[in-house]
Amino acid sequence: MQRTMLKSKLHRVRVTHSELDYEGSCAIDEALLEAADIREYQQIDIYNINNGERFTTYAIRAQRNSGTISVNGAAARKASPGDLLIIATYAGYSEVELAQFKPQLVYVDAENRIKDQRQHIPVQAA
């Protein structure tokens, strides 16, 4: 059996650009792509914290250490500069692979600079 698991996420990144007339995608600072193990052209799911929009697109590279998060094309109607996003990827794992499974979780500051990286989410308190 395969289970679809959270592979990686960029938590609370801030949209810096929204370009309706650019080819559809999401440009992400190359340093953030590497930290979250997201490849260029990989499918990503985006969850907009500000307005509740949830959509799928693909990642493209933005300049390293620029802090750029640019939502492009039709998706530009779902996120505006200043919005906070969670960008997630998922992958299928066998039961054997799950024994070694650890997601790549990347947390950023207000300028989209990495402030923490973890491989687990703390248990939610009651």
Side-chain angles (χ1 to χ4, degrees), residues 59-109:
I60 61 173
R61 279 183 302 121
Q63 182 179 346
R64 181 178 294 279
N65 299 319
S66 64
T68 298
I69 301 290
S70 182
V71 181
N72 302 319
R77 298 211 185 268
K78 297 182 176 282
S80 300
D83 285 358
L84 293 176
L85 309 177
I86 295 169
I87 299 175
T89 66
Y90 298 87
Y93 298 90
S94 70
E95 292 298 320
V96 171
E97 292 171 314
L98 284 174
Q100 303 299 318
F101 168 74
K102 291 185 170 67
Q104 300 301 312
L105 311 174
V106 179
Y107 300 84
V108 299
D109 64 15

Side-chain angles (χ1 to χ4, degrees), residues 22-40:
Y22 192 83
E23 186 172 352
S25 58
C26 180
I28 301 170
D29 179 324
E30 190 171 16
L32 295 174
L33 289 175
E34 286 177 6
D37 190 27
I38 299 172
R39 294 193 180 205
E40 189 169 27

Side-chain angles (χ1 to χ4, degrees), residues 114-125:
I114 298 169
K115 68 177 184 180
D116 192 19
Q117 292 181 257
R118 290 183 269 181
Q119 294 185 322
H120 73 281
I121 297 171
V123 173
Q124 184 172 341

